Amino acid sequence: MAIEPASAWKDFAAQARARLSGGVPLETRGTLTRLTGLVLEAAGIRASVGAQCLVRMGAQDAPVLAEVVGFAGDKAYLMPAGDTQGLSSGARVTPAAPFVPPLRLGAEPQATDAERAMQAGVLRLPMGAGLLGRVVDSQGIPLDHGGPLQQVRAEPLDRSPINAMERDPVRTPLDTGVRAINALLTVGRGQRLGLFAGSGVGKSVLLGMMARYTQADVIVVGLIGERGREVKEFVEDILGEQDRGRAVVVAAPADAPPLLRMQGAAYATAIAEHFRDQGRHVLLLMDSLTRYAMAQREIALAIGEPPATKGYPPSCFAKLPALVERSGNGLNGVGSITAFYTVLSEGDDQQDPIADAARAILDGHIVLSRALAEGGHYPAIDIEQSASRVMHNVVPREHFELARRFRAVYSRYQKSSDLIQVGAYMAGSDPQIDEAIRLQPGLVAFLQQDMFEGASMDESVAGMAQALQAG
């Protein structure tokens, strides 16, 4: 019995020697030389882009967390993650202490942690099953007064992208509980879609419906740059007690610094990746992708990047695919992330640069119409402008043909609606328009749905077929 403890102590000592064999890096310190708008400038510090630093006036003062977002010569540009009130020239800037996993007697050595332990400033946030049912901010701090997080471990936000050839194609349909989406814009497991709309036309309500009724093991909600009151409303009114246990909410409201808004989107995506790697099917709801791009615009313009399209610097359009491509199916079909990103079209302009860029990198788009919302038609999905790029791969041919006929009849009525409403159309002039007029009430009734009413995939297809045979 005395041999096992001695062996454990030898392993413990070997781990300690391995950790120290790489040397202990000397702490570098810099000095705050300038604060302009949102950007801090520090001299005398060498830290890589993305590294976390602490800015402190005195030993007794609370530090301000900041991230290195650029450099010029010997100057580093930092974006604060908190209030800069009280800082002045000469404040000390140091890299944040690296996360070093504690050595435990008898525990298996973790090569990954040992290799990364000496990387000063690497941002690590809580990941694990303990996040389920919780509401946290961009830094992993609980907002729901539920006590400290349990069953979590600190992991880095940055992850290596998955080889495109190792991802399974989207082949399995996903039931969202929304009739119009199930029948006409069928979603595949692992697909990335955008909800395009102006403000106040029901994006958040539609997200809530999908969160309530979609078949998923885990739901990750990222509330990025939206109104603060929506956080509690989403958790209590939309998720409710029945779905909260399988959901994680990451909140970075509009009053958060731009760095935290961007970090919140990355954190929500990293949490979804964590559960996907465990083989679970994850539903990622991001509200909104536009606010994420706006946060990047604020940072880029503050450090001097020139604007390109309507005030958006080129880095904004590079950050969008880097975030979106992290979702999707996992390695060799193990786990998946089905993602819905809301895209705010300023002034209901579908050619807004962010909306246009998002449409190009997503696997489909669902457009919400203000005209339909003003007419009391909810969800206000404009099926003529919306499309799912994988629908033909995930539904039977009969379903696809029914959806194509539904779209044709609905569109035919919309194009002739002006003539019909003023009485200029004479019945019998066109048999196809006569059919569209006869079927229109049933089609409109099918597309409308109460937010507390769910519809399965089979019910949605049967309802679509019935609407096309009504009259």
Side-chain angles (χ1 to χ4, degrees):
M1 296 296 293
I3 299 178
E4 293 184 0
S7 177
W9 275 109
K10 289 181 180 179
D11 293 340
F12 181 84
Q15 292 180 43
R17 282 194 296 270
R19 177 168 292 181
L20 295 175
S21 61
V24 179
L26 296 176
E27 182 187 66
T28 61
R29 294 185 181 182
T31 303
L32 186 64
T33 58
R34 186 180 180 187
L35 192 162
T36 306
L38 300 174
V39 179
L40 307 177
E41 289 187 15
I45 184 172
R46 299 187 65 179
S48 59
V49 173
Q52 306 293 302
C53 295
L54 299 177
V55 185
R56 191 194 305 266
M57 280 301 302
Q60 303 301 322
D61 297 324
V64 176
L65 183 66
E67 181 177 311
V68 179
V69 294
F71 58 88
D74 61 346
K75 292 184 178 179
Y77 299 134
L78 300 96
M79 185 65 60
D83 189 7
T84 58
Q85 188 73 23
L87 292 181
S88 66
S89 179
R92 186 178 63 187
V93 182
T94 58
F99 171 79
V100 180
L103 290 177
R104 288 185 293 272
L105 186 63
E108 291 293 328
Q110 300 180 2
T112 303
D113 287 341
E115 292 170 358
R116 295 177 178 174
M118 296 304 172
Q119 296 181 6
V122 173
L123 180 62
R124 293 171 178 269
L125 295 178
M127 304 281 182
L131 288 171
L132 294 175
R134 304 301 301 270
V135 181
V136 297
D137 67 5
S138 301
Q139 297 173 308
I141 300 174
L143 300 176
D144 53 7
H145 305 291
L149 297 175
Q150 304 292 334
Q151 297 179 346
V152 295
R153 55 176 295 175
E155 294 184 7
L157 284 187
D158 296 331
R159 291 169 177 258
S160 301
I162 297 178
N163 186 335
M165 293 301 295
E166 295 178 352
R167 287 185 186 268
D168 272 9
V170 179
R171 291 288 186 267
T172 306
L174 180 67
D175 189 348
T176 64
V178 182
R179 274 196 302 268
I181 297 178
N182 282 347
L184 300 166
L185 305 165
T186 311
V187 177
R189 196 179 293 279
Q191 187 177 357
R192 291 83 54 94
L193 285 99
L195 296 179
F196 292 74
S199 56
V201 294
K203 296 189 305 298
S204 298
V205 174
L206 183 57
L207 278 183
M209 291 178 66
M210 291 187 288
R212 187 180 299 112
Y213 302 118
T214 299
Q215 298 175 348
D217 300 326
V218 177
I219 301 170
V220 180
V221 182
L223 301 177
I224 311 301
E226 297 299 318
R227 295 177 291 274
R229 69 168 179 83
E230 291 185 343
V231 177
K232 191 170 185 179
E233 289 181 2
F234 194 97
V235 172
E236 295 184 355
D237 300 338
I238 297 180
L239 278 180
E241 291 297 329
Q242 57 181 358
D243 293 310
R244 186 173 176 181
R246 60 173 181 147
V248 183
V249 179
V250 179
D255 59 346
L259 178 65
L260 292 186
R261 278 177 267 150
M262 291 194 64
Q263 186 173 304
Y267 186 28
T269 306
I271 293 172
E273 290 175 316
H274 172 84
F275 287 110
R276 178 188 63 187
D277 294 345
Q278 294 180 345
R280 301 197 191 185
H281 296 298
V282 182
L283 176 65
L284 173 62
L285 306 175
M286 189 78 71
D287 188 12
S288 70
L289 195 64
T290 304
R291 303 300 187 195
Y292 172 82
M294 287 181 174
Q296 172 60 22
R297 177 174 65 178
E298 292 179 42
I299 295 175
L301 293 178
I303 63 177
E305 187 177 348
T309 306
K310 289 189 177 181
Y312 287 96
S315 62
C316 292
F317 303 101
K319 288 283 187 180
L320 290 178
L323 179 72
V324 170
E325 283 296 323
R326 292 170 61 179
S327 56
N329 286 328
L331 286 171
N332 303 316
V334 177
S336 67
I337 300 176
T338 306
F340 288 88
Y341 301 92
T342 65
V343 181
L344 182 63
S345 303
E346 296 185 6
D348 295 325
D349 179 15
Q350 296 301 318
Q351 303 306 317
D352 176 84
I354 297 301
D356 198 43
R359 192 180 296 108
I361 60 178
L362 293 170
D363 301 326
H365 50 276
I366 299 173
V367 179
L368 303 186
S369 167
R370 186 173 298 277
L372 291 176
E374 291 173 348
H377 185 293
Y378 289 101
I381 299 175
D382 188 338
I383 63 170
E384 292 183 284
Q385 296 190 54
S386 305
S388 173
R389 297 181 181 177
V390 304
M391 180 176 176
H392 62 283
N393 291 328
V394 299
V395 299
R397 183 175 181 83
E398 296 79 10
H399 179 173
F400 190 79
E401 290 300 322
L402 272 177
R404 185 196 60 78
R405 182 166 177 258
F406 188 106
R407 283 174 171 271
V409 174
Y410 184 85
S411 179
R412 193 175 298 127
Y413 179 89
Q414 297 302 319
K415 291 178 180 177
S416 306
S417 61
D418 291 341
L419 292 176
I420 297 170
Q421 291 173 3
V422 301
Y425 175 75
M426 299 295 294
S429 301
D430 188 332
Q432 292 184 332
I433 296 180
D434 291 340
E435 180 192 37
I437 295 174
R438 177 174 58 86
L439 297 178
Q440 180 65 12
L443 303 186
V444 173
F446 171 79
L447 293 175
Q448 297 186 53
Q449 184 175 341
D450 186 81
M451 65 177 293
F452 296 106
E453 170 195 359
S456 68
M457 182 72 72
D458 293 338
E459 293 172 347
S460 301
V461 177
M464 177 172 61
Q466 184 177 358
L468 289 172
Q469 297 172 359

